Amino acid sequence: MPEPDRHLTRRLGALSGAALLVGLTIGSGIFRVPGAVAAGVETVGAIALVWILGGAIGLFGSLTLAELAVLFPRAGGIYVFLREAYGPLPAFLYGWTELLVARPAAVGALATISAEYATVVLPIDPGAARAIAIVAIILVTAANLRSVDLGAALQGATAVAKAVALVVLAGALFLLGDRTGGSLTELPSFAPASWGGFGVALIAVLWAYDGWADTTAMAGEMRDPSRTIPRALLGGILTVIAIYMVVNAAYLWVLSPPEMAASTLVATDAAVRTLGAGGTTLIAGLVSLSAFGALAAAMMTGPRILFALASDGLFFTPVASVHPRFATPWVAILVTGGLGIAYVSVRTFEQLAGAFVLGVWPFYALTVAGVFVLRHTRPELDRPYRTVGYPLVPLGFLLASVLLLGNALVEETGLTLFGFAVILAGVPVYFVWRRARSRLSGR
């Protein structure tokens, strides 16, 4: 077993971990995804079902990953779990796919979304959105570089603020909205228009739920891991599920599924119908805050994956440096922030959301399967936390993953193949890197 991360200090508790999961997960998805879901399934009951199923899959994954995070409480999360269960190549491919491709694009896109919506609320020239996005990345990078406490405080504050704001929005829609225009009071039909469309809608929902797995990247800096990590994952994912269900119910209180399906920003349409023109400004501010909070959380977890890669010699060694004063992986943080700034000009991140989910989801399934592998190959390891509901919970997650990927191959063939291509592109890079490292070390 590799030695624990040197010089990284354990300063985060269960509450900070749960807030991190909430901050990572609730970004712009809850504002955009409901429209795609309604278009895919078309009925009130099926809309509820797809959100419940997505939450259950996230819950099953969280309960399972908690066992691995307690076993290996180190920086890197899924990267570490894949390395321990299967060896360095799958771990490298995850790092390649998640960080060097998807994470910088996500950081850049979240900063851009936050900045663009901020120009709606504040008297700022919309043309300055890109500059504002870059400033946002710089500020978040600096906070995370200064200390893990400051980074956690920043994202924790924004996580609480946007969670409260979403609940308040839902309350306003219920109290002030005209339910005669919605569909929540109708007898629900749980049959979707097509099961293929249900699968596509589930992909969009899983993007909205994405974040529960990334929280484990901070395991190397969490106090008393055997207690705090399971509590953080469980508390965080249940909070997100509850908020998403309440908000979707509020949307359906004032809008019909066809109206949601025709909307690119369901929250704005619901707020305008209930609050008038001021609803646009309200939602713009909420989207900006939510995206900024997700940016702050992404800048906490992403560098830890890069740090773990470098610590194993699979990336440039200086990236594994820990700041002697701040005790943070400062080079990894700077690299992640720099890549995010480079990706700010990429405007198609939302169009690639499906490819992002399909690109990382095979690794989620492989990691969950790692619980079975490690119980067989390393039964001697002390397991102070064991997956609740084992083996049914991880098996349920794996079954859902197989169905998800199979449906994606049929319904979204191009995006699915793109995601797999991104993964496979890392294979030659891995062998070239290892060969170059061997030659250098032999000199």
Side-chain angles (χ1 to χ4, degrees):
M1 182 184 300
E3 63 183 75
D5 303 317
R6 293 172 294 180
H7 310 303
L8 292 179
T9 57
R10 297 190 179 277
R11 306 179 64 89
L12 301 178
L15 187 59
S16 295
L20 176 62
L21 190 152
V22 173
L24 276 166
T25 305
I26 302 178
S28 61
I30 188 58
F31 304 100
R32 286 172 166 73
V33 167
V37 171
V41 299
E42 299 184 10
T43 66
V44 174
I47 290 172
L49 186 61
V50 75
W51 282 98
I52 292 171
L53 181 58
I57 292 172
L59 176 61
F60 284 8
S62 297
L63 291 172
T64 306
L65 258 60
E67 177 174 327
L68 297 174
V70 170
L71 271 179
F72 310 108
R74 305 201 245 299
I78 287 180
Y79 167 82
V80 175
F81 311 151
L82 290 171
R83 181 191 66 198
E84 295 293 336
Y86 306 105
L89 178 56
F92 175 83
L93 293 179
Y94 169 72
W96 162 268
T97 304
E98 162 66 14
L99 184 64
L100 300 182
V101 178
R103 186 58 59 96
V107 167
L110 287 168
T112 300
I113 290 169
S114 180
E116 288 178 345
Y117 278 94
T119 63
V120 176
V121 180
L122 303 173
I124 300 175
D125 182 0
R130 182 175 299 181
I132 297 172
I134 292 173
V135 170
I137 294 175
I138 292 173
L139 290 175
V140 173
T141 299
N144 281 282
L145 192 152
R146 177 61 179 81
S147 76
V148 67
D149 287 341
L150 184 56
L154 175 63
Q155 75 82 28
T158 55
V160 171
K162 64 186 176 183
V164 171
L166 280 169
V167 172
V168 170
L169 170 64
L173 295 179
F174 278 123
L175 292 174
L176 304 176
D178 181 4
R179 68 178 184 177
T180 60
S183 302
L184 195 61
T185 56
E186 298 176 3
L187 185 65
S189 170
F190 291 96
S194 75
W195 287 106
F198 185 91
V200 173
L202 182 59
I203 292 174
V205 167
L206 290 176
W207 176 52
Y209 274 113
D210 189 72
W212 53 269
D214 290 343
T215 307
T216 59
M218 299 298 298
E221 292 157 273
M222 297 192 72
R223 299 189 303 267
D224 191 8
S226 63
R227 291 171 57 85
T228 58
I229 291 175
R231 292 178 179 180
L233 291 175
L234 182 60
I237 191 64
L238 289 177
T239 299
V240 172
I241 292 172
I243 291 173
Y244 280 2
M245 295 307 298
V246 169
V247 172
N248 273 283
Y251 292 158
L252 287 166
W253 185 254
V254 296
L255 297 173
S256 66
E259 288 173 325
M260 291 176 63
S263 174
T264 57
L265 193 60
V266 173
T268 298
D269 290 345
V272 168
R273 177 168 295 187
T274 303
L275 305 174
T280 301
T281 302
L282 172 65
I283 297 302
L286 184 49
V287 173
S288 180
L289 171 65
S290 188
F292 181 79
L295 167 66
M299 279 301 301
M300 281 193 72
T301 57
R304 272 67 184 180
I305 302 172
L306 187 56
F307 174 86
L309 275 168
S311 297
D312 284 350
L314 296 177
F315 200 58
F316 299 105
T317 302
V319 178
S321 301
V322 176
H323 197 282
R325 179 182 174 189
F326 303 143
T328 56
W330 67 283
V331 178
I333 292 171
L334 288 176
V335 170
T336 304
L339 289 172
I341 290 173
Y343 273 66
V344 161
S345 60
V346 177
R347 301 294 182 118
T348 58
F349 174 72
E350 290 179 325
Q351 297 172 0
L352 297 177
F356 170 75
V357 170
L358 296 170
V360 298
W361 206 259
F363 294 108
Y364 290 172
L366 200 61
T367 304
V368 168
V371 170
F372 296 102
V373 173
L374 288 167
R375 286 202 182 188
H376 176 71
T377 60
R378 304 175 73 173
E380 78 284 356
L381 293 178
D382 180 35
R383 291 173 168 82
Y385 168 83
R386 290 175 175 264
T387 301
V388 176
Y390 180 92
L392 295 180
V393 162
L395 284 175
F397 183 91
L398 292 175
L399 176 61
S401 299
V402 170
L403 293 175
L404 171 73
L405 293 173
N407 182 78
L409 279 171
V410 175
E411 300 290 334
E412 300 282 352
T413 305
L415 284 176
T416 305
L417 293 178
F418 173 82
F420 291 157
V422 169
I423 296 171
L424 294 176
V427 174
V429 175
Y430 169 80
F431 287 107
V432 169
W433 181 268
R434 290 294 294 265
R435 188 172 183 178
R437 293 281 297 182
S438 296
R439 288 181 176 179
L440 289 174
S441 61
R443 290 180 179 177

